[in-house]
Every structure is written in structure tokens, then in C-alpha cells.
Amino acid sequence: ISSYALATSRHMYEHGTTREQLAEIAVAARSWAGLNPDAFMREPLTVEEVLASRMVCDPLTVRDCCLVTDGAGAVVLTRAERARDLKASPVYLLGAGHAHWHRQISQMPDLTTSAATESGQRAYEMARLGPSEIDVLELYDAFTITTLMFLEDLGFCPKGEGGRFVEGGRIAPGGSLPVNTNGGGLSCVHPGMYGIFTVIEAIDQLRGTAGARQVAGAQTAISHGNGGHFSSEITAIWGTAATL
């Protein structure tokens, strides 16, 4: 937690990011979780409640940090031609990229920029898509700062603009960019590692099986996983049959 708090503090210092802006990320995740019957925490949450919650490692409160829960997930991957014969509508892996820059946060050359800048670019090139063509984002939100930095590093807003980008409910239900539509690691589930749930939620959204939290007309989605201290990043881009 202290490593991510360090990155958060640096982002606040360099770019003017505020605790209120980070709190908006936690509130958005909880709003999505309220629409998900499988989420662990579904009670309404406000910015004020995030700011007033127990400080874990300044500037991160307990509501800036992911849950610790039970849980498990799995997916089945097969050939596209085989998938056409299966009961469920197939979702296609259009592109993927991975980048690993360091082990410890002390080796990170810039505390406000992650290897997602590289993994995302590789995935976009493989999928032949760009950020403006992505309908749904599922990001590993171990902390509110990870959501904010991945929005920047994956090209959804300029570096340093993540705080202002999430203001006004932009990533919450009804906002212009649906992010972590199951409630994320902040409010849905986090059994030690969360990455598989970004894939599962992306697939549910593209199949149209996400229930009350369904994003209308979703055709493309990103699942993004994070490991270590912003150390290892992987980006996967998914699409429906209409995107092939």
C-alpha cells in the first residue's frame, strides 16, 4: 500500500490531482457495484465518506484501497470457428500486449507513468483500434490511483488530466466512459488477485449478459491487468462478432 501511496502523492504533487478526484473513482466503482448482485459492497458511497474513512497510508484511505475477499474466476478460450458452435455468444480476443519495466517501485523512473503505455500500444496495434473506439474499460483497481493512471497511460486522457477526467461521474453509470462496470476491486471482489475478473466482466458486457449494469450497444472492451508496484502490465482488447 505504501508504494501506491507514494505514486499517488507524486501524481498529486506533479499534476495537482486531489483526494476528492480520487474519491470520485471509488464512488463510481460503488455505483456500478450497486447494480451487481455479486458485488461484496453495494451500499451507496459518497465522496465525503471516502475522504472521512480511515486513513491507511496517506493519502490513501481504506475506501481508496481494494477489498480483501474470497472469490474465483475462470474463462474458456478456444478457436473462433469452434466457438461459433457453442451455446454462448463468442467474444473475440482482438489484441493483447504486455510490458514489464521493473520490480520494486524504487526502480520506477517516473512514479506517475506505468508500463501500460507500452502494453496498451501493443494491444491497440494488434487490434487495429484506438482508445476512441473502446466502449467499456475494465481496469485493475487495486487502488484509486491505478484507475486514474491507467486512464492516462492507455490514452483515454492526457498525462496529468486523469483527476479532472473522472470528475462529474464520467466513469460512473450514466457517464460517457463506463469503467469497472462490475464494481471493480474497490467494491466488487478482490481475492488476492483481481485480473481474471476484468476479463469476465468484459465478456459479460459484450455478450449483453450484465443485467442492470449492462452498457447498451457495447461492442469493444479493454481488460487491463496490473502486477507488483506498477511493475507488470497487460492489456487485452475484446470484441463482438461485429468487430471482426
Side-chain angles (χ1 to χ4, degrees):
I1 296 174
S2 60
S3 295
Y4 284 88
L6 183 63
T8 306
S9 295
R10 189 65 188 179
H11 203 285
M12 294 171 73
Y13 174 79
E14 286 195 11
H15 303 297
T17 306
T18 67
R19 289 187 60 211
E20 288 80 5
Q21 291 168 339
L22 291 166
E24 291 239 22
I25 295 170
V27 170
R30 183 64 62 85
S31 297
W32 284 112
L35 303 175
N36 180 5
D38 292 328
F40 270 79
M41 298 193 74
R42 303 182 64 201
E43 302 83 3
L45 183 67
T46 67
V47 168
E48 292 72 25
E49 287 171 333
V50 176
L51 298 177
S53 62
R54 177 172 55 88
M55 186 64 70
V56 178
C57 189
D58 194 8
L60 299 177
T61 73
V62 68
R63 297 279 74 89
D64 287 291
C65 303
C66 64
L67 306 177
V68 179
T69 71
D70 291 331
V75 298
V76 174
L77 185 67
T78 188
R79 302 186 315 276
E81 55 269 26
R82 174 73 179 90
R84 296 189 189 102
D85 298 329
L86 301 178
K87 181 179 179 180
S89 300
V91 171
Y92 299 88
L93 179 61
L94 305 180
H98 172 251
H100 189 117
W101 282 4
H102 59 275
R103 179 177 175 84
Q104 302 294 345
I105 198 163
S106 58
Q107 300 168 304
M108 200 170 174
D110 179 352
L111 292 174
T112 70
T113 300
S114 77
T117 54
E118 185 177 340
S119 66
Q121 188 58 38
R122 290 177 176 175
Y124 289 136
E125 289 175 358
M126 184 181 293
R128 298 181 181 179
L129 294 172
S132 64
E133 298 169 285
I134 304 299
D135 297 323
V136 180
L137 271 177
E138 309 298 341
L139 307 175
Y140 197 131
D141 56 341
F143 305 94
T144 50
I145 187 61
T146 62
T147 300
L148 187 148
M149 278 180 49
F150 295 149
L151 286 168
E152 296 175 347
D153 293 346
L154 293 173
F156 290 88
C157 63
K159 176 55 62 181
E161 292 293 322
R164 287 173 284 279
F165 184 83
V166 301
E167 289 180 338
R170 178 176 274 174
I171 65 173
S176 60
L177 182 63
V179 175
N180 293 341
T181 52
N182 62 350
L186 292 170
S187 282
C188 179
V189 61
H190 196 289
M193 294 301 288
Y194 175 73
I196 190 66
F197 298 100
T198 69
V199 176
I200 293 170
E201 180 64 13
I203 291 169
D204 280 344
Q205 288 289 341
L206 298 187
R207 281 182 173 162
T209 56
R213 65 187 187 279
Q214 179 65 49
V215 176
Q219 299 292 324
T220 57
I222 279 181
S223 298
H224 182 79
N226 167 67
H229 306 147
F230 284 119
S231 307
S232 184
E233 308 294 339
I234 186 162
T235 310
I237 300 177
W238 310 90
T240 66
T243 66
L244 299 180

